[in-house]
Amino acid sequence: MTETGTSTDWRSWQESWDRQQEWYMPDREERFRVMLDMVEAVVGPAPRVLDLACGTGSITDRLLKRFPDATSTGVDLDPALLAIARGTFEGDDRVTFHAADLKDPDWASRLPHTSYDAVLTATALHWFHSEPLAVLYGQLGGLVRDGGVFMNADRTIDPGTPRINAAERAHRHAAMDRAKAAGALDWAEWWAVAAKDPVLAGPTAERFAIYGEHADGDMPSADWHARTLLASGFGEARAVWASPSDSLILAVK
C-alpha cells in the first residue's frame, strides 16, 4: 500500500487494519463511541490520554477527531503497528508513540507523563493471562489520576454460561464466514500482505520474532476485570457496554 514511486500511504494501512479488525468485531465503532462518551462524561473534552497497547493508533485517531484539544501517548511493543501509527500521525504534536513491553515492570518509566486523565485500551489485553494482567492493573492504578478513568474494551468470557457462549460463537463465526466469502481479510492474511510490503516487511518480521503466532490469554469475565480493578486502587468499576461476546469495562480512580 504505497503511493507509486513516492512514500508509504499510512492512512491506507490504517484503514485496512480497521477493516480487518471489523471482520472480528462488527460493533467495534460502537465500542469506541461509548468509550469516548465516557471519557467526556468523566474527565471532559480535553483529556491527557494514554493509548495502552495502541497498535496502529485506532483509539488515538478517533480521540483526536472528536476532541481536537486532547493529547495522546501511545505505547506498544509491535514494531509494525507502531510504524503505521507513527506514519499516520507524523507531524501531529498532540501525539507521541513509545515502544515498551507491558510485561516489563519498568515499562511506565518510558512514558512522558507520570499521570493521565484517561488510560484507554481495546482488543489488546486478551493477550495477557490473568496473573500478569492483574499486575498491569495494579500499575495502572498508579498512572490514572484521582478522578480519572481506565477503560478496557475486549473479549470477555463468562464461564457460567456455556450454552450461551457456544450459540454466540457459532452465530458470530457464521457471519465471519459470509464476510470472508465476500473478500474480507482475516488476521493471518492481513499480516501476509504486510510481510510483502517493502516498508513493513522488516518490522513485520520483527513483530513475529517478538510475539510468534497470535495466542489468546485467559479472557476472564467482565466481573473479574471489575473486581481486579477495584483491588488495584480504583474506586468504582463495572461494564458500561456489552455485546454477547465483548465488554467495555470502566474504572474510575
Side-chain angles (χ1 to χ4, degrees):
M1 296 184 186
T2 58
E3 297 170 357
T4 304
T6 58
S7 60
T8 299
D9 184 352
W10 295 113
R11 177 53 62 180
S12 289
W13 278 109
Q14 185 78 241
E15 292 172 356
S16 74
W17 177 259
D18 283 343
R19 301 294 83 75
Q20 178 257 126
Q21 290 286 284
E22 287 165 1
W23 181 67
Y24 294 94
M25 297 164 291
D27 48 18
R28 185 168 177 254
E29 291 301 327
E30 176 70 4
R31 298 193 313 171
F32 287 142
R33 182 191 66 78
V34 176
M35 177 181 281
L36 295 181
D37 281 351
M38 295 311 298
V39 167
E40 185 174 25
V42 181
V43 299
R48 175 192 289 172
V49 170
L50 175 61
D51 187 350
L52 189 72
C54 64
T56 65
S58 297
I59 290 174
T60 293
D61 191 31
R62 289 151 181 82
L63 172 80
L64 298 180
K65 286 175 180 174
R66 178 159 169 180
F67 306 125
D69 294 328
T71 60
S72 180
T73 301
V75 60
D76 206 298
L77 186 60
D78 188 313
L81 299 186
L82 278 175
I84 295 171
R86 287 172 171 144
T88 299
F89 296 96
E90 184 177 5
D92 190 333
D93 60 8
R94 299 171 296 176
V95 187
T96 60
F97 291 102
H98 304 269
D101 184 349
L102 297 182
K103 294 180 180 178
D104 178 349
D106 297 322
W107 70 269
S109 67
R110 296 173 174 80
L111 300 177
H113 306 292
T114 57
S115 69
Y116 289 85
D117 300 314
V119 176
L120 309 177
T121 189
T123 326
L125 300 188
H126 63 270
W127 286 64
F128 280 70
H129 290 280
S130 299
E131 186 174 339
L133 182 55
V135 172
L136 178 63
Y137 278 178
Q139 294 171 313
L140 297 180
L143 273 175
V144 176
R145 67 161 174 84
D146 287 346
V149 298
F150 166 70
M151 276 183 270
N152 178 17
D154 211 342
R155 187 60 45 87
T156 51
I157 305 297
D158 188 336
T161 59
R163 288 184 296 170
I164 294 172
N165 298 346
E168 181 281 325
R169 187 178 188 280
H171 184 268
R172 174 164 43 89
H173 278 263
M176 291 166 68
D177 289 344
R178 292 192 296 272
K180 186 75 175 296
L185 293 182
D186 64 18
W187 170 270
E189 290 167 333
W190 190 91
W191 281 110
V193 174
K196 295 176 182 177
D197 182 83
V199 175
L200 286 179
T204 297
E206 290 178 39
R207 74 86 55 201
F208 279 100
I210 293 169
Y211 291 108
E213 294 301 323
H214 188 281
D216 288 328
D218 298 335
M219 290 186 285
S221 69
D223 286 343
W224 181 93
H225 286 278
R227 290 195 310 269
T228 305
L229 287 162
L230 291 172
S232 300
F234 290 88
E236 298 179 10
R238 70 171 177 87
V240 292
W241 175 91
S243 74
S245 61
D246 291 32
S247 300
L248 171 60
I249 311 300
L250 165 63
V252 179
K253 184 72 179 292

